[in-house]
């Protein structure tokens, strides 16, 4: 089956203008659509069961044949295939090196109660005002890889569906249920109703990670890059957990710290 790519040569094209508008979180929230950039993340989008509205490739994109093969194998229908110049493609997304391919996908939505009740014995990742999309994407990627059952992004955390976060996560949003803009009081009330323990990552105090009981289903909260977890969570959490650093460094990047804690939780479950 031959796939038809529509050739578009003008930035004034209505479809391209719609895609470009999704660089803004307000437009993503209003439309429910988001941009996926980069070969690996786009492959995840095509292979998922999420609604795929557009696939846009640069004229010189070298892996179009492979993408077409994935489209032919896709069980769900897909939208329009657009071909543009490399210059036009760079204007559509947020990253400076888009790898010649992007997709537009409709978000899936979960309720917080659904995510808290997801099957499995892995933890739920909670992000409290984490600002860098690269950190958010990396944490979602690690959480998906190490068996977390979902992620809760509290109010004030950057958008998991920004193209930078999706690309940093290599498309982890297609594998890990994510809820966003959750109020701390709401999460705290519901997790107590479900008797879910909550551990807060800390620089010091609490227990070293290897002494904390991370085998049982729990929530693991990571705070803002500069400030850590808010005072609310420091008071409400069931305990704090820290990563021993005998090498003398004062702190780790939040994505690295989260990765180590998620790995420790997986190690304890598997042991």
């Amino acid at each position: 089956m031959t796939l038809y790519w529509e050739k578009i040569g003008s930035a004034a094209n209505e479809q391209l203008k719609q895609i470009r508008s999704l660089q803004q979180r307000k437009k993503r929230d209003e439309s429910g659509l988001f941009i996926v950039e980069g070969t690996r993340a786009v492959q995840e989008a095509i292979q998922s069961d999420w609604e795929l509205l557009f696939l846009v490739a640069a004229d010189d994109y070298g892996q179009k044949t492979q993408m077409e093969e994935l489209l032919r194998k896709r069980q769900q229908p897909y939208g329009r295939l657009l071909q543009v110049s490399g210059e036009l493609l760079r204007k559509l997304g947020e990253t400076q090196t888009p790898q010649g391919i992007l997709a537009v996908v409709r978000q899936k939505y979960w309720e917080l109660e659904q995510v808290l009740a997801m099957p499995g014995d892995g933890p739920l990742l909670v992000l409290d005002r984490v600002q860098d999309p690269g950190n958010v994407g990396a944490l979602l990627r690690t959480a998906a890889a190490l068996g977390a059952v979902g992620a809760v992004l509290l109010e004030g955390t950057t958008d998991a569906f920004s193209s930078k976060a999706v690309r940093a996560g290599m498309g982890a949003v297609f594998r890990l249920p994510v809820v966003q803009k959750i109020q701390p009081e709401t999460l705290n009330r519901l997790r107590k109703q479900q008797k879910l323990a909550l551990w807060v990552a800390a620089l010091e105090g609490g227990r070293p990670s290897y002494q904390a009981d991370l085998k049982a289903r729990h929530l693991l909260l990571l705070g803002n890059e500069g400030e850590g977890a808010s005072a609310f969570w420091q008071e409400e959490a069931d305990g704090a957990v820290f990563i021993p650093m005998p090498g003398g460094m004062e702190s780790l990047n939040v994505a690295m710290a989260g990765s180590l804690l998620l790995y420790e939780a997986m190690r304890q479950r598997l042991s």
Side-chain angles (χ1 to χ4, degrees):
M1 179 179 67
T2 302
L3 303 184
Y4 174 67
W5 293 80
E6 302 175 48
K7 177 72 173 179
I8 296 178
S10 171
N13 176 272
E14 287 301 317
Q15 283 72 43
L16 298 192
K17 287 165 66 176
Q18 178 190 7
I19 294 170
R20 192 161 56 247
S21 74
L22 299 176
Q23 295 176 13
Q24 305 170 48
R25 183 166 192 174
K26 179 181 178 182
K27 295 295 185 181
R28 293 194 296 272
D29 290 344
E30 289 175 352
S31 66
L33 307 179
F34 65 104
I35 296 171
V36 180
E37 293 187 75
T39 296
R40 186 71 190 104
V42 170
Q43 288 175 342
E44 288 283 343
I46 294 173
Q47 292 174 306
S48 75
D49 61 356
W50 293 40
E51 185 180 352
L52 179 64
L53 283 82
F54 295 105
L55 191 63
V56 188
D59 294 329
D60 59 353
Y61 181 59
Q63 298 187 53
K64 188 186 294 182
T65 300
Q66 292 92 317
M67 291 297 178
E68 290 179 345
E69 285 302 312
L70 291 177
L71 287 169
R72 292 187 182 97
K73 295 176 182 177
R74 181 177 162 88
Q75 299 298 311
Q76 293 75 22
Y78 54 86
R80 297 169 66 180
L81 308 180
L82 309 180
Q83 185 171 325
V84 299
S85 68
E87 180 181 358
L88 274 181
L89 188 76
R90 283 189 291 274
K91 293 178 179 179
L92 296 180
E94 295 181 76
T95 58
Q96 295 182 347
T97 54
Q99 298 182 354
I101 189 79
L102 65 77
V104 175
V105 180
R106 189 176 303 281
Q107 294 183 33
K108 277 190 177 182
Y109 291 96
W110 286 268
E111 297 296 333
L112 177 58
E113 293 87 344
Q114 289 178 289
V115 174
L116 292 177
M118 283 288 169
D121 57 358
L124 288 107
L125 177 68
V126 181
L127 303 184
D128 175 25
R129 298 166 298 122
V130 177
Q131 295 298 299
D132 185 273
N135 286 334
V136 169
L139 284 164
L140 294 179
R141 181 182 182 185
T142 303
L146 297 181
V149 297
V152 179
L153 276 57
L154 296 169
E155 185 69 47
T157 297
T158 198
D159 185 11
F161 293 97
S162 73
S163 60
K164 290 182 180 178
V166 174
R167 185 173 179 181
M170 293 292 188
V173 290
F174 300 115
R175 297 174 177 264
L176 187 74
V178 176
V179 289
Q180 303 198 103
K181 296 185 176 181
I182 302 300
Q183 295 298 327
E185 295 80 6
T186 302
L187 174 61
N188 200 42
R189 173 175 54 82
L190 291 175
R191 67 100 184 174
K192 285 183 175 180
Q193 288 177 3
Q194 298 195 27
K195 296 181 172 57
L196 291 170
L198 185 140
W199 291 94
V200 170
L203 288 176
E204 56 186 17
R207 303 180 189 180
S209 54
Y210 57 84
Q211 289 184 359
D213 181 6
L214 303 178
K215 292 190 296 293
R217 181 76 173 268
H218 65 278
L219 280 67
L220 173 65
L221 186 142
L222 297 156
N224 174 268
E225 289 92 340
E227 302 172 2
S230 68
F232 174 85
W233 289 115
Q234 292 179 37
E235 293 176 4
E236 290 291 331
D238 295 288
V241 59
F242 69 90
I243 299 166
M245 290 183 282
M249 296 299 292
E250 290 184 1
S251 64
L252 293 171
N253 169 276
V254 65
M256 178 60 72
S259 297
L260 290 172
L261 293 172
L262 287 165
Y263 180 83
E264 175 61 23
M266 183 194 70
R267 186 196 65 80
Q268 290 187 20
R269 293 196 308 278
L270 295 182
S271 67

